[in-house]
Amino acid sequence: MKENESRPWTLAGGEFRKDGPFFSAVGLLFGVLQYVGYTYFDKENWGGNLLLEHIPFYSLFLANLFLWAAKGIWEWQRTKREMRRMEALIARVAFRTVGFASVSASVVFGFAMAPALWGAYWHACMFLFCGIYLLSLAEIAANPLLGKGRSRTCLPAMLVIITIPFTLQLGMG
């Protein structure tokens, strides 16, 4: 039990705490713009377009795939040779991936507040699922592939990455 006590809950939480207040407010503003554009300006998608500008989904996904591959190579070769450049590359890409995912998740969480304000709770929940997915991408990027140094939320983040696409597909279909 003492091993769990020394592990942090999350490694991406610090970045999210820094980005959350500002970008959640930006997301809420986008949600209000979406409502106003859709309701009063012939179903314009202003807020949705602005929201999509803040979510580099494919970049986040590819960065995580790169990190898994690089971390795997590093784990495999670290006892055989010194790989300082590979370690520096992994640290830099992980830092940037966590930053991008943190901003994206914050904007989506803010955007989810707008439908909740107008009583569209189903839509708010779908946006919350997407925000949790983006936050999970950040947590996976921040954690090492194997061994010590993993956070307590690394495994739940992996489960979220695997299950949310199937859950959303079942909910939509």
Side-chain angles (χ1 to χ4, degrees), residues 126-137:
M126 291 296 108
F127 284 114
L128 285 175
F129 278 139
C130 292
I132 291 169
Y133 190 84
L134 291 166
L135 200 55
S136 296
L137 283 173

Side-chain angles (χ1 to χ4, degrees), residues 27-28 30-32 34-35 51 107-128:
L28 178 60
F30 293 167
V32 170
Q34 179 67 21
Y35 177 77
L51 175 69
V107 170
V108 171
F109 286 138
F111 196 85
M113 287 186 245
L117 291 174
W118 285 283
Y121 300 116
W122 173 256
H123 294 89
C125 287
M126 291 296 108
F127 284 114
L128 285 175

Side-chain angles (χ1 to χ4, degrees), residues 57-120:
F57 181 75
Y58 295 119
S59 298
L60 290 172
F61 191 74
L62 287 173
N64 267 304
L65 288 178
F66 168 78
L67 283 170
W68 289 344
K71 289 174 183 178
I73 291 169
W74 183 79
E75 286 286 340
W76 173 49
Q77 292 291 317
R78 72 181 173 143
T79 58
K80 298 175 186 166
R81 61 185 70 146
E82 190 173 344
M83 299 174 59
R84 282 183 279 156
R85 287 188 182 174
M86 178 71 95
E87 286 180 71
L89 178 65
I90 289 170
R92 181 68 181 155
V93 172
F95 177 75
R96 296 309 309 150
T97 303
V98 169
F100 286 145
S102 171
V103 167
S104 299
S106 297
V107 170
V108 171
F109 286 138
F111 196 85
M113 287 186 245
L117 291 174
W118 285 283

Side-chain angles (χ1 to χ4, degrees), residues 44-61:
E44 287 292 328
N45 191 24
W46 296 332
N49 290 338
L50 289 170
L51 175 69
L52 290 176
E53 290 291 324
H54 286 80
I55 304 173
F57 181 75
Y58 295 119
S59 298
L60 290 172
F61 191 74

